[in-house]
Amino acid sequence: RGLGNAHDLVGRYFMEHLEMPSGQLALTGERAPSTVMYAFEFGRTKARGELALSAAKQREQRMLNATVSLQPTTTAEQEVLSTFQRMTPERLEAYRKWDEGGRVGPLSIGLPPARADTVVGPPRMFDLLTRQEQAPNPASRVTLGREHDALGMPRATLDWRLTSLDRRSFRAFYEVLGRELGRSGVGRVRMNDWVTSTEESWPASTGGGWHHMGTTRMHDDPKQGVVDANCRVHGIGNLSVAGASVYPTAGCANPTLTLVALSLRLSDRLKTALG
C-alpha cells in the first residue's frame, strides 16, 4: 500500500534483454558478401547492423522481437586482426587506461603482434549473439528485502522470471533465420543445442544486457499500471517517474535513447505546468 501501489504493481513486470550466444553462421557462397556494416571494433565502432525479422513475420509466428549480431569467429593467429575482441581482465584494464587518457592514439589490448606471413581474408564464420525482448510478466518482480545496506536502506531482491513465450521465441527466431539464409544461398546456421530443445529450461549461461526495465509500468488503467501516459503516478498529483521502469514492453533495442526522450518530454510538461 505504498506510494502508487494501491494495486500491488510497484516492482512488478521487471524485464531484461536476453543477450546470449546462440549459434554459428557459415557463409557458403563462392564470394563472401560484405559484412563491413556488421563489424564491431571495441572502443571505436559507433554503430553496427544486426539481423532481425520483419514485423509481419513476427506477427505470423506470434513471437517476441529480437536481433542477432555477427561476430567473426577467429583462430589464435587471426585474433589480433579480428574486428571483435572478447573482453579479458587485461583488455579491460587496457581500455580503462586508454579511456582515462582521453582515448588518444590506438587502443593497445596487450596482444602479441600479428605474424608477417598471416593473410586474413573476409570472415566466413561468425558467432551469433542474440538480443531478445522479454515478455511482460507480473511474477517477475523487485521487492525490498530484510537486509539493509551501509546507509540503512533495505536491499532490493530480484525474482527474475521468464515465460514459455520467451523460450519459444528464441527457437522460432532461429528456425526462420536459418531457413531464409539457406534459401537465399548466403550460408548455413548451426544452432546451439539449448536453442533447438523443446524443453522449457534455460541454459546455465542465461544472461542479460544490464538493461533493467519495468517495475513502474505505464498504463492508462491504474489497475494495470503505476504511471499514466504522461509518466505521472496514478492518484498522486505531484509525483512522476521517468526512465526505463515505465516501459510497458521492452523491445530489443538498447533502451537509453527512449528513456532520455521520455525524460525530456516529462521535463517539458513540468516546466509548462509550473510556469
Side-chain angles (χ1 to χ4, degrees):
R1 297 294 179 180
L3 292 177
N5 201 29
H7 301 285
D8 189 29
L9 291 175
V10 173
R12 292 188 182 273
Y13 296 95
F14 173 86
M15 298 173 290
E16 246 280 23
H17 283 145
L18 291 157
E19 295 194 6
M20 303 168 65
S22 308
Q24 291 77 41
L25 166 65
L27 302 181
T28 55
E30 291 185 6
R31 292 187 60 186
S34 173
T35 57
V36 172
M37 69 175 290
Y38 301 100
F40 178 78
E41 185 177 357
F42 188 77
R44 292 184 180 274
T45 307
K46 301 301 182 184
R48 68 173 170 189
E50 297 189 352
L51 299 177
L53 303 186
S54 68
K57 179 59 69 173
Q58 291 175 44
R59 286 192 294 269
E60 175 189 314
Q61 297 287 327
R62 300 182 66 82
M63 59 186 290
L64 297 167
N65 202 359
T67 64
V68 61
S69 62
L70 308 181
Q71 302 169 351
T73 303
T74 57
T75 64
E77 291 79 12
Q78 293 170 329
E79 186 175 7
V80 293
L81 300 180
S82 171
T83 57
F84 175 78
Q85 301 292 351
R86 291 177 175 80
M87 285 294 99
T88 64
E90 293 76 19
R91 289 175 183 149
L92 286 172
E93 177 63 15
Y95 176 79
R96 184 187 65 78
K97 292 181 179 178
W98 178 69
D99 187 52
E100 289 181 349
R103 302 192 177 194
V104 177
L107 171 59
S108 172
I109 54 176
L111 291 174
R115 286 168 39 190
D117 60 347
T118 300
V119 178
V120 180
R124 300 189 68 89
M125 289 291 298
F126 295 88
D127 294 326
L128 303 178
L129 176 69
T130 309
R131 181 189 295 120
Q132 178 182 289
E133 71 173 320
Q134 177 185 344
N137 178 10
S140 182
R141 67 185 306 193
V142 176
T143 56
L144 295 180
R146 299 193 176 191
E147 294 185 6
H148 292 74
D149 64 15
L151 299 178
M153 301 297 292
R155 293 188 181 276
T157 300
L158 172 62
D159 185 5
W160 186 30
R161 303 231 186 159
L162 302 174
T163 66
S164 58
L165 176 58
D166 300 312
R167 189 70 176 80
R168 182 179 63 79
S169 293
F170 243 100
R171 185 167 60 251
F173 179 89
Y174 274 94
E175 288 173 351
V176 175
L177 183 70
R179 184 168 61 246
E180 289 302 306
L181 289 175
R183 182 189 61 79
S184 62
V186 171
R188 299 294 182 187
V189 172
R190 186 187 74 80
M191 292 175 276
N192 293 350
D193 291 340
W194 72 267
V195 177
T196 59
S197 173
T198 56
E199 297 181 3
E200 292 292 319
S201 61
W202 291 83
S205 60
T206 300
W210 306 309
H211 299 161
H212 301 165
M213 297 163 285
T215 68
T216 61
R217 74 192 310 249
M218 181 184 292
H219 202 285
D220 289 335
D221 184 352
K223 294 182 179 180
Q224 300 187 57
V226 177
V227 303
D228 62 19
N230 295 316
C231 295
R232 186 178 65 85
V233 176
H234 286 296
I236 304 177
N238 62 345
L239 179 61
S240 300
V241 180
S245 66
V246 306
Y247 291 3
T249 58
C252 66
N254 291 39
T256 306
L257 292 180
T258 305
L259 70 87
V260 169
L262 281 171
S263 300
L264 291 173
R265 190 186 69 158
L266 175 60
S267 67
D268 287 340
R269 289 187 61 85
L270 292 178
K271 284 189 295 184
T272 301
L274 297 173

